[in-house]
Amino acid sequence: MAMRGLVSLAVLLLLGICISLFVSTADLRFSIPVSRSPFAPSRFTSCLVTSRRRAPPLKVFMYDLPRRFNIGMLDRNRTGDGVGFPEWPVRSGIKKQHSVEYWMMASLIDGGNGDGDEDEREAVRILDAEEAEVFFVPFFSSLSFNTHGHYMTDPDTEIDRQLQIDLLNFLFESKYWQRSAGRDHLIPMNHPNAFRFLRDKVNASILLVADFGRYPKSLAFLSKDIVSPYVHLVDSYVDDNPSDPYESRPTLLFFRGRTVRKDEGIVRTKLAKLLKGYDDVQYEDSYATGEGIKASSKGMRSSKFCLHPAGDTPSSCRLFDAIVSHCVPVIVSDRIELPFEDEIDYSEFSLFFSVEDALKPDFLVSQLRQIPKDQWIVRWNRLKSISHHYEFQRPPKKDDAVNMLWRQVRHKLPAAKLAVHRNRRLRIPDWWS
């Protein structure tokens, strides 16, 4: 009996120890501290980008389109029959911000990244379409709009329309397009007006867009499509290492750009009136000329916060100029979607205000002035650590914008494959809706 009692006691003691360990572990796991300030950045920074196990490169088949659909448009004086893959023109002005299509194509044309570290590639071009995981359509739809149809009413607009017609005729004859109805095809549309005539004909494809401001919900949506950063226009701030970064930026809030915009962008005119009279706020109306871009770069590098109100659509290139300038973005837009948000937490380095709050007199500036120096420095450091994700380079480098976008493509493929498989057996498409 004594022995049986000792065994029972030992079992109870062991059970108590296990329960104690479980409770203490659970406390450690689930006790997440809550920030005292709504502006304090989270201490739990995203680690998906750095600790992710790297998958094999995505197998991409790129259609062999005539040069008039892509690089033939880089120089309007060319006939489009040149040879080789050209560098992006140095003097291309604001066309550069919509050049994502070029950098994606270049990454496939160039093959490896050129420094012997080919294992870092997120996508690789293959020549056998039967082995492809995704099909890339190298139509520079943004450059076509900027080159042929920028004013929407000039005769060249018809060239943009005809390119879209010719492209669809080409795709509709492809057995790979027919096989999936284009669901596993990637089509860049980074300019809000890109592919504007025949968008509805490719609404099943994976679209590469800047935001969803000019797309109906039946055509573009987050579960199917990819939000891409604009290509930044200002030079990256590569030597931003002052002893006191907070004091080295005397301007509290900076904005330089067009103040008269449409739709949600009318907030810019209203902000111009509200932000007058502050000594530490710089809010200027300007155009994106060469000198204007230089002035914007200087202003961003000397400012703690950079204002990012909506433009004609919810986003603009200004946000990415601020990121590579390490100027904490202040985003005023109710409907903005952001690139790479499944891997990057923007609340760690940006501030967000609704349009309603931003238009309250003195609200925006008073909120920014309340942010302690140490919290601003945390955000500034985070900006420095993530800004390389917004660099478009040739050849691409590890975790830069091009590789990040190809990774986003991989994330969209399971849903595309599900849709393809369901479509092959359903008698009534989407009967549940």
Side-chain angles (χ1 to χ4, degrees):
M1 291 293 292
M3 179 62 70
R4 186 176 298 171
L6 288 173
V7 171
S8 298
L9 182 62
V11 171
L12 289 172
L13 181 62
L14 181 60
L15 182 61
I17 293 173
C18 291
I19 292 173
S20 176
L21 286 173
F22 175 80
V23 171
S24 62
T25 303
D27 288 344
L28 288 173
R29 184 178 299 170
F30 298 112
S31 295
I32 300 178
V34 178
S35 169
R36 294 179 180 270
S37 167
F39 300 112
S42 169
R43 294 178 182 272
F44 295 90
T45 57
S46 171
C47 60
L48 286 174
V49 173
T50 56
S51 65
R52 181 186 57 85
R53 173 180 282 184
R54 188 171 295 278
L58 189 67
K59 295 179 180 179
V60 183
F61 179 83
M62 181 171 66
Y63 284 103
D64 186 17
L65 295 177
R67 290 168 69 94
R68 66 189 177 94
F69 286 98
N70 41 66
I71 56 178
M73 289 183 276
L74 289 176
D75 186 346
R76 297 192 69 172
N77 295 322
R78 292 182 182 178
T79 62
D81 298 324
V83 294
F85 196 85
E87 296 293 331
W88 181 261
V90 175
R91 296 181 179 179
S92 58
I94 60 173
K95 289 182 181 180
K96 181 181 178 182
Q97 65 183 325
H98 303 296
S99 63
V100 174
E101 53 207 14
Y102 167 89
W103 304 100
M104 298 294 282
M105 183 179 179
S107 71
L108 298 176
I109 291 289
D110 293 339
N113 61 14
D115 58 5
D117 199 5
E118 295 190 0
D119 290 339
E120 302 296 351
R121 284 182 293 170
E122 294 290 346
V124 61
R125 183 187 185 187
I126 60 169
L127 301 180
D128 185 354
E130 295 294 336
E131 297 180 2
E133 297 174 85
V134 68
F135 295 80
F136 180 65
V137 181
F139 172 42
F140 289 2
S141 58
S142 296
L143 188 58
S144 180
F145 172 75
N146 279 324
T147 302
H148 300 307
H150 185 68
Y151 296 105
M152 297 193 183
T153 57
D154 59 17
D156 281 347
T157 299
E158 187 57 34
I159 300 177
D160 185 31
R161 182 196 294 270
Q162 190 60 50
L163 282 173
Q164 294 170 42
I165 293 172
D166 293 346
L167 176 69
L168 290 183
N169 288 337
F170 175 90
L171 289 175
F172 291 169
E173 293 178 0
S174 165
K175 69 175 183 178
Y176 302 107
W177 179 277
Q178 296 171 11
R179 185 173 68 183
S180 68
R183 290 183 176 89
D184 53 2
H185 284 55
L186 175 65
I187 304 179
M189 296 186 189
N190 192 239
H191 193 289
N193 291 320
F195 222 121
R196 66 191 180 96
F197 295 110
L198 298 172
R199 286 176 181 171
D200 60 316
K201 304 298 183 182
V202 295
N203 65 339
S205 298
I206 303 171
L207 307 181
L208 194 65
V209 301
D211 58 41
F212 299 115
R214 295 207 178 148
Y215 300 86
K217 292 182 179 179
S218 61
L219 192 152
F221 41 91
L222 196 56
S223 61
K224 175 180 75 74
D225 302 312
I226 297 168
V227 178
S228 168
Y230 288 93
V231 181
H232 61 82
L233 297 180
V234 304
D235 292 336
S236 300
Y237 200 176
V238 295
D239 56 349
D240 185 14
N241 297 298
S243 57
D244 191 338
Y246 189 83
E247 297 301 332
S248 71
R249 294 171 176 259
T251 301
L252 176 71
L253 181 63
F254 177 83
F255 172 87
R256 198 172 194 278
R258 300 288 300 277
T259 58
V260 178
R261 299 280 84 183
K262 296 177 290 186
D263 300 326
E264 190 180 339
I266 61 176
V267 69
R268 294 190 180 188
T269 303
K270 297 178 180 179
L271 285 170
K273 297 176 181 178
L274 285 174
L275 295 174
K276 281 184 178 180
Y278 292 101
D279 293 337
D280 53 356
V281 174
Q282 186 176 347
Y283 195 99
E284 298 179 7
D285 183 28
S286 72
Y287 289 82
T289 62
E291 290 302 315
I293 293 171
K294 289 180 181 178
S296 292
S297 179
K298 182 179 179 181
M300 289 181 174
R301 293 184 182 191
S302 59
S303 301
K304 297 176 178 67
F305 299 98
C306 284
L307 188 60
H308 174 68
D312 287 343
T313 62
S315 66
S316 77
C317 184
R318 184 168 292 95
L319 170 60
F320 308 103
D321 286 343
I323 288 175
V324 300
S325 301
H326 310 149
C327 181
V328 175
V330 176
I331 298 173
V332 178
S333 180
D334 294 333
R335 298 180 298 115
I336 193 170
E337 293 292 343
L338 298 165
F340 320 138
E341 206 163 3
D342 57 345
E343 299 196 54
I344 295 176
D345 183 356
Y346 282 76
S347 68
E348 294 175 349
F349 56 84
S350 304
L351 296 172
F352 294 85
F353 294 90
S354 68
V355 171
E356 181 182 2
D357 283 343
L359 293 180
K360 295 177 182 177
D362 299 319
F363 181 82
L364 195 59
V365 173
S366 64
Q367 292 296 306
L368 297 181
R369 286 175 175 169
Q370 291 177 30
I371 298 175
K373 176 179 178 177
D374 60 339
Q375 290 186 14
W376 181 88
I377 290 177
V378 169
R379 295 181 189 276
W380 173 77
N381 276 317
R382 184 63 178 145
L383 275 171
K384 292 178 65 177
S385 72
I386 56 89
S387 60
H388 65 287
H389 297 311
Y390 302 89
E391 299 291 352
F392 287 85
Q393 301 165 105
R394 183 182 176 197
K397 297 180 181 178
K398 179 181 177 181
D399 293 335
D400 70 356
V402 175
N403 275 317
M404 292 284 282
L405 285 172
W406 282 121
R407 204 146 75 217
Q408 292 291 304
V409 174
R410 184 189 297 278
H411 298 170
K412 303 299 181 181
L413 289 179
K417 184 174 290 186
L418 171 64
V420 169
H421 291 173
R422 289 184 73 250
N423 189 64
R424 287 174 181 170
R425 57 90 175 169
L426 285 180
R427 296 289 183 181
I428 305 174
D430 291 339
W431 54 268
W432 46 269
S433 62

